[in-house]
Amino acid sequence: MDFNKVIHRKNTNSMKWDATGERYGASDLWPMWVADMDFKAPEPVREAMQSVLDHGVFGYYRKPESLRQAIVDWNKKRFGRTLETGQFVFTPGVVPAINHIIQAFTEEGDGIIIQPPVYYPFYSLIQMNKRKTLRNPLKEEREGFTIDFKNLEEQMKNGAKMLLLCSPHNPIGRVWTEEELQRLTDLCETYNILVVSDEIHADLVLEGKHIPFAQAAQGKQIQTITCMAPSKTFNLASLQLSYVIFEEDSLKTKYENQLQRQFVGMDNPFSIVAAEAAYRQGEDWLEQLLEYLRGNVRYLKEFIETNMPELRVIEPEGTYLVWIDMRGLNMSASELEKWLRQEGKLALSDGHIFGEEGAGYVRINVACPRANVEEGVRRLKQAYDKI
């Protein structure tokens, strides 16, 4: 795979490239915001989808047992996790899945813990379902961002029912260590917290090793639910296929009943064959991708450190999203937004949308050809030099 090849996505109804004007008020901005990749999906995936297209009949479809087995085999090989084919439920995306989890396992007014700055739909899911947001902000220390376990325990004491764990963490890029996960499991066991682990970026580890939360919780009296998908890994987001893994049959049954009440569950032949082909034949492509992403992160970090010393790059351990501290510019959140758009001609994810703790930061997506990263930092430096 030639990841350096630039694939033009303008005028393809791309959210990243064609909705920038709607989102940021100007269509001439360089888009590095939406969390998808500017790379083609692996060739076996495209071939599998082409076979469905060539068949030409797009009637009602069902998920084959072979897809379930492909998921089981992938999790075993990549994470050492042993699953059964009947252990998970398919859903049309991780965010909808978490929405239904909240509805199935909590009541209005129940407390749900999040760890900001964190993936912003978490806030909406809690608020729209009339649950209480309990904030456990990550601690920013010299060596990076860590979990504030003292504050976490206080939130659990405040009547929390559920923890939404982002693992690896978006936007910080942390890959939680075994020690951190063990401390987390101890607290969750003590306070009887249901852990919903969003592990959609699990395959995209640049440094360290992803440990599934449910695996870390083995032997503990903890209820865990894991959300995963091939979408971030293989750039299949618009196909809307994800799956939710349960450790207890009773939880799985309750969740399935929730989906049935909402009439969720229609199958799509393109997403099914794409997911199976990705898990069966996409590993070499993924390893090449990870190496390319590491190079993009290094380039971004070195360029910024050399040319814009007031900015600080928090190097991600996982994901293709880079968290950049711009507080050294001494701008307010609104001033920073205006500067990035008007002077930098850049569309980045504003840090404050991930929570008030993210004010003064931005999130930048480097899952694109190196030339796109170079254009992004060129624009950033051009704006920087005008300060």
Side-chain angles (χ1 to χ4, degrees):
M1 175 72 183
D2 182 8
F3 292 104
N4 279 317
K5 182 179 180 180
V6 176
I7 300 170
H8 296 286
R9 299 180 65 192
K10 268 280 193 183
N11 301 317
T12 64
N13 290 314
S14 159
M15 179 70 72
K16 181 191 294 181
W17 288 88
D18 294 324
T20 298
E22 300 168 23
R23 171 65 175 79
Y24 290 89
S27 58
D28 62 341
L29 307 185
W30 193 246
M32 303 182 78
W33 57 295
V34 174
D36 69 6
M37 296 191 266
D38 291 321
F39 305 129
K40 285 187 177 182
E43 187 174 357
V45 170
R46 290 181 276 123
E47 290 176 347
M49 295 177 70
Q50 185 64 51
S51 69
V52 173
L53 182 62
D54 290 344
H55 185 261
V57 179
F58 311 119
Y60 293 115
Y61 209 76
R62 66 177 181 85
K63 293 181 179 69
E65 188 68 15
S66 57
L67 172 58
R68 291 181 174 274
Q69 190 60 51
I71 292 171
V72 168
D73 294 344
W74 180 265
N75 275 271
K76 181 66 174 179
K77 185 172 185 181
R78 299 297 293 189
F79 313 118
R81 186 176 184 187
T82 301
L83 298 175
E84 302 293 335
T85 57
Q87 199 173 333
F88 43 89
V89 177
F90 289 101
T91 53
V94 166
V95 172
I98 295 175
N99 184 53
H100 291 298
I101 289 170
I102 289 172
Q103 293 172 359
F105 299 105
T106 63
E107 303 292 337
E108 288 189 12
D110 282 349
I112 300 178
I113 301 172
I114 57 173
Q115 297 174 305
V118 72
Y119 184 50
Y120 53 87
F122 284 6
Y123 297 92
S124 299
L125 293 174
I126 295 170
Q127 292 163 7
M128 287 189 301
N129 284 297
K130 299 181 180 179
R131 274 56 169 176
K132 182 180 178 182
T133 304
L134 299 178
R135 304 165 66 88
N136 171 227
L138 298 179
K139 286 197 302 184
E140 187 178 2
E141 299 181 335
R142 192 163 188 168
E143 64 274 17
F145 286 83
T146 60
I147 297 172
D148 185 342
F149 285 100
K150 182 177 179 181
N151 173 274
L152 179 60
E153 185 167 13
E154 289 302 314
Q155 299 304 331
M156 291 180 176
K157 289 178 179 178
N158 285 338
K161 301 294 184 182
M162 177 183 290
L163 165 66
L164 296 185
L165 177 68
C166 202
S167 178
H169 191 280
N170 173 14
I172 302 301
R174 277 299 317 277
V175 173
W176 306 118
T177 65
E178 185 171 5
E179 180 184 358
E180 287 172 312
L181 292 176
Q182 287 301 324
R183 290 187 67 183
L184 196 54
T185 60
D186 288 342
L187 284 174
C188 291
E189 182 178 42
T190 299
Y191 293 97
N192 191 29
I193 304 296
L194 169 61
V195 179
V196 180
S197 188
D198 174 359
E199 301 186 12
I200 196 171
H201 291 100
D203 295 312
L204 298 168
V205 172
L206 308 178
E207 179 184 343
K209 177 184 177 182
H210 173 74
I211 301 171
F213 181 81
Q215 196 161 290
Q218 285 182 352
K220 302 286 181 67
Q221 296 299 311
I222 305 174
Q223 292 185 325
T224 66
I225 300 173
T226 307
C227 299
M228 303 189 78
S231 53
K232 298 298 181 188
T233 310
F234 300 104
N235 206 26
L236 307 176
S238 64
L239 298 183
Q240 296 187 308
L241 182 143
S242 60
Y243 51 98
V244 182
I245 305 172
F246 294 88
E247 309 302 313
E248 298 180 25
D249 289 341
S250 60
L251 296 185
K252 178 172 174 281
T253 299
K254 189 172 183 178
Y255 183 67
E256 288 174 324
N257 291 339
Q258 172 66 26
L259 295 184
Q260 289 172 5
R261 285 192 294 271
Q262 301 295 327
F263 292 91
V264 175
M266 192 64 67
D267 293 329
N268 180 322
F270 290 98
S271 63
I272 289 169
V273 300
E276 183 169 349
Y279 283 141
R280 289 293 186 201
Q281 300 171 269
E283 189 169 36
D284 288 344
W285 181 93
L286 174 59
E287 292 301 332
Q288 294 174 49
L289 169 72
L290 291 173
E291 192 56 36
Y292 193 83
L293 293 176
R294 292 184 187 104
N296 275 357
V297 171
R298 285 194 299 269
Y299 173 81
L300 178 79
K301 189 172 189 292
E302 290 169 7
F303 187 95
I304 289 178
E305 287 180 346
T306 301
N307 296 283
M308 294 168 273
E310 276 81 10
L311 310 186
R312 185 170 66 96
V313 175
I314 290 81
E315 191 169 353
E317 298 166 344
T319 82
Y320 47 70
L321 308 165
V322 183
W323 193 236
I324 302 177
D325 183 356
M326 295 194 169
R327 293 174 297 176
L329 299 178
N330 295 315
M331 296 183 186
S332 67
S334 60
E335 289 171 339
L336 182 59
E337 286 183 26
K338 184 177 179 180
W339 177 72
L340 287 168
R341 291 155 178 62
Q342 295 186 1
E343 300 297 333
K345 296 296 180 182
L346 285 165
L348 309 180
S349 296
D350 302 312
H352 66 82
I353 69 173
F354 300 95
E356 61 188 36
E357 296 82 1
Y361 292 83
V362 296
R363 191 191 75 176
I364 183 170
N365 178 355
V366 297
C368 55
R370 181 68 53 81
N372 289 20
V373 179
E374 291 171 350
E375 175 63 16
V377 295
R378 184 194 68 78
R379 292 183 181 218
L380 187 60
K381 185 179 186 302
Q382 191 173 45
Y384 180 88
D385 288 342
K386 292 180 183 178
I387 297 176

